[in-house]
Amino acid sequence: MEVFCGSGRLGSKFWDSNLSLYTNNPDLTPCFQNTIVAWIPCIYLWTVLPFNIVYLKYNRRGYIVLSMLSKIKTLIGFLLWITCWSNMFYSFHELAQNNGPPPVYFVTPLIVGITMISATLLMQYERLRGVQSSGILVVFWFLSTLCAIIPFRSNIIVTVKEGRITDKFRFTTFYIYFSLLVVEFLLSCFKEDRPFFSPVSGEPNPCPEAEASFLSKMTFWWFTKLAALGYKRPLEDKDLWALNEQDKSKVVVSKLIKEWEAEKTKIRDMPVKYSKNADAMLNHTDEKATESEVLIVNEKKPRGPSLIKVMMKSFGPFFLIGSVYKLFQDLLSFVNPQLLSILITFTKNKDAPAWWGYCIAILMFLSSLAQTLILHQHFQYCIVTGMRLRSAITGIIYRKSLVITNAAKRTSTLGEVVNLMSVDANRFQDLTTFLNMLWSAPMQIFLALYFLWQTLGPSVLAGVAVMVLLIPINAFIAMKTRAFQVEQMQYKDSRIKLMNEILNGIKVLKLYAWEPSFAQKVLEIRNKELNVLKKAAYLSAMSTFAWTSAPFLASVSVKRIQDFLASDELDQNAVSRDKTIPGISVSVQAGTFTWAKNSEAVLNDINLLVPTGSLVAIVGHVGCGKSSLVSALLGEMEKLEGNVSVRGSVAYVSQQAWIQNCTLKDNILFGRSANEKNYRKVLEACALLTDLEILPGGDQTEIGEKGINLSGGQKQRVSLARAVFSNSDVYLLDDPLSAVDAHVAKHIFDNVIGPDGLLRGKTRLLVTHGVSFLPQVDHIVVIVDGKVSETGSYQELLKQNGAFAEFLRNYVFEDSVEEDDVTIDEEQVLLAEETLSNHTDLADNEPVANEARKKFIRQISVLSSDGESGHKASTKRKICERKTSDVTSIKKLPMDKLIQTETAETGRVKMAVFWQYIKAVSLLVSFFICFLYCCQNASAIGANVWLSDWTNEPVINGTQQNTEKRLGVYAALGLLQGFFVMVSSFTLAMAGIGAARKLHSGLLDNKLHTPQAFYDTTPIGRIINRFSKDIYVIDEVIPQTILMFLATFFSSLSTMVVIIASTPLFAVVIIPLAFVYFFVQRFYVATSRQLKRLESVSRSPIYSHFSETITGTSIIRAYGRQGCFVLLSDGKVDENQKSYYPGIVSNRWLGVRVEFVGNCVVLFAALFAVIGRDTLSPGLVGLSVSYALQVTMSLNWMVRMTSDLETNIVAVERVKEYSETETEASWIIEDKRPPKDWPSKGEVELTNYSVRYRAGLDLVLKNLNLRVKGGEKVGIVGRTGAGKSSMTLCLFRILEAAEGVIKIDGVNISEIGLHDLRSMLTIIPQDPVLFSGTLRMNLDPFNKYSDDDLWNALELSNLRKFVASQQDKLEYECSEGGENLSVGQRQLICLARALLRKTRILVLDEATAAIDLETDDLIQTTIRTQFEDCTVLTIAHRLNTIMDYTRVLVIDKGKIAEFDTPTNLIASKGIFYGMAKDAGLA
């Protein structure tokens, strides 16, 4: 080096300690400046350049036009190159004059000049590749400027010292060079314009991150605008930026699916050694060897596809960038302790120049600053990976749920799958931040041990020994935590599943007074769940390595998701679409089908050929397999053998209509474009025009979840209209006529299904119980016990004179509707007008119609109930035409939304919410926890001050005095601190569990006491969200957050105390720093809190939509609409991530700013230590600065935890909101309990009785005066909206009286408890609701009755044969919603419930809808015999069932129109006579 720059006129030494170190005015030698200092930026650029070129080659974002900024930067780059090389040429000039400088003056300008021109060319290349702001160049220009400051100062010092400029040319060129560098650096901080041909985001509010400059990205400055807006006013949806393209669901899900499919294919194609019979015939076209033919050689269990591997392939590369940042941050974290050690040495050496201390302080500050910037980039990469993972997993679970088999669907209930989406997907989000610890922690431990060994020598081994001993303990704790986690997740799943069922069947629970039994079940599961949490708390109180469990928790989630993704999918080829016989649309050859692969067949040896364009009826008793046959044709069942083919597109109408939460029109269009003419035809044919008159917003009326504001008949007709509008080739109609009355059924048959209907010429399979339509069908298929027993036309079957012919003869006359009853046009017009007038009360003055039209309240009931006498079979077209002209502009009244959008609270979280939580924890315990934290920190400070004092003790004869005493006190303080840590974390965990128990039971108690109206206007997803996500936050997140908050708060406090105690001058700086800190914190908390709320609100729709999809998968699949639903779900996930992403960026934004305050604390603590080194002991300096180094993290985490506490306490706010909704009357009023045998007679009396749905709305029933004697059988009839169902709901006090009273056996029902009332009445509701659990539980949840009673009830309800044939008898497991039973069987179970209760009053609400005539006859007979001496109130569905009743009550417009015996009413020729005549009964 001496040769390189030491000879000649300008020669100098490479290094001179006296010049550079041991002086009060330091400088570097010219040689050092011209080599090391000048080369640093060059080495940096040449190192990163190759990587950058490769990256740019594969990442093009369009190109940027040459802007003025770009031109100036390029010009300056060239000028810099010229300046450098002018120095080089000047050296050659000197050489020519025999005055040559050392070689360094040739080499360095050459290297620097080439570097400058390279940087300029790179600038242009980046512009052509669309880079708006180059991080590499910003760092390069910054380093160049920084390194040029040294010669800048040095030149001035030398010139001042010598009094003149010695080398004028180089002096001048250097200052030109320096000025150009500063300008270039400043210009490089600005970003270029947006590139051309870049994929332009069409979003109205794109995220500014994509276009932010490098410095803005490093400091997250681009977020400041949103933070400021959030500080000014609460943020709203419209303020949020669109999601970055690469974070959107469509991108990340397709990435994960692609890798998952590749992994599955790889596993499938793994070579399996097997031997095979040479002459074995291949049994399938796809040539798979059957089990019998194959002898597997390797008997190892084949491994399934690995989700972990798939996730690593999909998101690993992006995550690795974060890992690189983490590596740098880890290495930097060891710089400050080394600098501190140098600082302590400096304070000991009183002769050292002061500038050493200042340099150390500045280096500590710069090192901390670099750590801050790098750490937050690492976090950003990790958390964005987590966010993408969550989107991808949610998306893949959603897509899987659309193709999963019915058997697999039964193994994972809705609650479990929603949990996979909410809890497990979130686990991955949390995991990504911990994942790097797997390699980072061992590396940090190794480096720490290395540096400690340098300082302490072999003493380190004691610490290592403790650490090694702790490893197995922590491994054990982590494994146990994992086991607890699995157990807890199972309890959580079953609790959510049960809650889901309770909320779905809440009306039935209320009507039967079964709430306590189900509440007990939920609380039992909840107690088990909290006990597991308690065990985990014992463990974590012993363990300090909380994070070790995170990877284990995630592995639990991986397993659960992997199992779900690996569950069986429906065979897409079970039904072939192209291999049909010419002229045949549907063919089944020797088909045997089952619901699950390993269970017995439900349909055996089915042979069926359906000619194109024909109408085929499928008939048979309840549970014989009619619906299963339709499912088999849809490909929903497992095909064991045979062939099924269906030609063309399929439309499907399920037995229980599936209605979406959207407008009525959208339900019918189902994603197809509207053709007004066809749409109108369909509405007319499906008898929906009259309903549109009633509905407040016409076809724009929003339909609630599960079609809650439509009656059963309306739902079924909307479902049918959806099918008809789809204009498919094959129509599979699963009993669509059962939910509507006979006349509407006839209208629909004639206008839609029958030979002259809209669907004529289409292939139609109609499952039906309506015998009257059978003469008009082309072909009838009779199914008995899963087999086709007879087929043929109506006449052929009669001739065969089999069992079916007998059945027909018995029922055909009862059910038929007289065809020849043709009335004159005027009468029909009048009827139609009357129908509409009957609805005025709904249309004009009942806003509740836009609110929840409850499932029961709006039931369509009687024969002509759907208000469809105007649409009778015989109605002439002209009426419809006349109506059409009125309805074309289907009423668009101003309407409220039915399901109100969930609102997010705004502003600061009210103290009441914190107070609520503190009360749940208990005030005393809260103070005790704070006291424990004070003790913990006091003992920590005590131990450290004691240690610092001990280090200052003089060494005499090579040892210190009082070593034993010093060590004893230090150990005691350490153990005391450990004890306080354990006790405080344990107490806090126990307190958290206690609070969680209180809050959950309060929520559950309120929800079971909430009136029905609440459930009709609130989506179940929203309530479930409270029970799943919010309770999870209260259970597991809030206690952890409080623990962290208290720890960081006391840690920050103790840091300030220690620094001020050791360097009192520091108190001066604390005030401005505290101001900046507080200012940033308020900015952040306001924004972050609101983002968290928006995120909570946007999460519910994901789950609501998901549960809606799960219940309608068969319909979505039948219509082939999976793609649309996937897009919808992705849209909802993206909407949620839109508020989640700014939330995570806000944490980074805050981190950078708050840690900057912390870095200033480090700077000032070090500076004041340098200033006061004469008065400070080295021990105190070490203590003060080491505390300062910790404060950065504490301050950051304290704001984060303050905010997290505010944002997570929102869960308490949300649970509190739903724990305080209005409740119904008390279940039991002790001093008003009715006698034990009440009601003994069954008399019902209504006096001046009026009722409205809610305060402020019009009356639905007006001044009813009515007396039903004990034992009377009363049929209740009336048109849609007349108030029939309302009347039965009043008996059960689901609706409370506006005025007047109802007395049962002389007892005013409004004065007694709801359960005393409801348990003494029995209802058979229209929609049969079953809960998952045993049959016994579904019949008798309180275990009141003996087995004999149960079997007797089953015998009478015609179910004994079915139950006795099951292996488990009364313990037979019903699946969620009773899906493993047919609708008819579910209805019979409801009858069995009624027979068990055997109360004096029985209410039947349209209960015979889904049952064949024979079963219906059985039910009617059972009711007549078993309830002979009871009062029976029946909302009539088929008039023939009530013609022998004691009296018939006709309700019209909420008033009693007629009330007399059927004979008298027919004789008086009033409304009832008209109905009976329509039904062919008069």
Side-chain angles (χ1 to χ4, degrees), residues 1075-1094:
F1075 174 75
V1076 173
Y1077 179 76
F1078 182 75
F1079 181 69
V1080 168
Q1081 191 242 19
R1082 283 321 316 150
F1083 243 78
Y1084 163 79
V1085 170
T1087 307
S1088 166
R1089 180 181 55 222
Q1090 201 56 23
L1091 285 169
K1092 188 86 169 183
R1093 282 173 173 159
L1094 289 172

Side-chain angles (χ1 to χ4, degrees), residues 26 82 247 353 480 485 532 539 726 918 1181 1281 1348 1361 1389:
I82 290 164
D247 297 333
K480 287 299 282 181
Q485 192 62 36
V532 175
L539 273 182
S726 71
I918 289 171
V1181 170
D1348 292 346
K1361 185 178 158 199
I1389 287 175

Side-chain angles (χ1 to χ4, degrees), residues 57 299 317 370 403 428 491 604 638 657 694 836 850 872 938 1076 1155 1210 1223-1224 1294 1357:
K57 188 178 174 188
E299 290 180 8
V403 293
F428 286 109
Y491 290 134
N604 288 297
E638 299 278 357
I694 311 169
L836 290 179
N850 9 336
K872 289 193 331 219
V1076 173
E1155 286 185 27
V1210 170
T1223 54
E1224 52 190 4
I1294 297 281
S1357 57

Side-chain angles (χ1 to χ4, degrees), residues 81-232:
W81 168 60
I82 290 164
T83 313
C84 293
W85 278 21
S86 62
N87 274 346
M88 183 179 72
F89 290 128
Y90 182 67
S91 298
F92 278 116
H93 166 72
E94 285 182 321
L95 187 64
Q97 299 197 344
N98 295 324
N99 193 13
V104 70
Y105 287 91
F106 295 92
V107 176
T108 296
L110 177 70
I111 292 173
V112 175
I114 292 171
T115 308
M116 290 301 160
I117 198 72
S118 302
T120 310
L121 293 173
L122 176 63
M123 199 190 303
Q124 288 309 310
Y125 184 55
E126 285 189 326
R127 178 180 68 79
L128 295 173
R129 306 302 289 181
V131 176
Q132 289 174 271
S133 176
S134 169
I136 282 173
L137 286 175
V138 170
V139 173
F140 170 72
W141 296 123
F142 173 69
L143 276 177
S144 299
T145 310
L146 201 63
C147 291
I149 289 173
I150 295 169
F152 179 90
R153 174 178 174 274
S154 183
N155 281 341
I156 292 171
I157 290 173
V158 170
T159 307
V160 168
K161 193 170 158 188
E162 296 193 4
R164 63 190 183 84
I165 298 169
T166 48
D167 189 343
K168 285 182 181 165
F169 182 82
R170 288 193 178 84
F171 186 88
T172 311
T173 52
F174 172 76
Y175 282 102
I176 293 170
Y177 170 78
F178 183 79
S179 312
L180 290 171
L181 267 184
V182 172
V183 174
E184 186 75 298
F185 168 60
L186 292 174
L187 290 178
S188 69
C189 295
F190 294 98
K191 66 183 176 71
E192 293 281 0
D193 294 333
R194 183 185 288 177
F196 275 81
F197 308 119
S198 65
V200 178
S201 167
E203 304 285 354
N205 189 9
C207 180
E209 181 187 14
E211 304 211 345
S213 68
F214 170 73
L215 286 177
S216 175
K217 280 181 182 166
M218 287 304 283
T219 57
F220 298 93
W221 185 260
W222 56 271
F223 180 79
T224 307
K225 199 173 170 187
L226 193 69
L229 184 65
Y231 181 68
K232 280 187 215 153

Side-chain angles (χ1 to χ4, degrees), residues 262 374 739 827 1136 1152 1298 1389 1400:
I374 291 172
E827 189 180 333
N1136 176 240
V1152 170
I1389 287 175
R1400 298 291 303 178

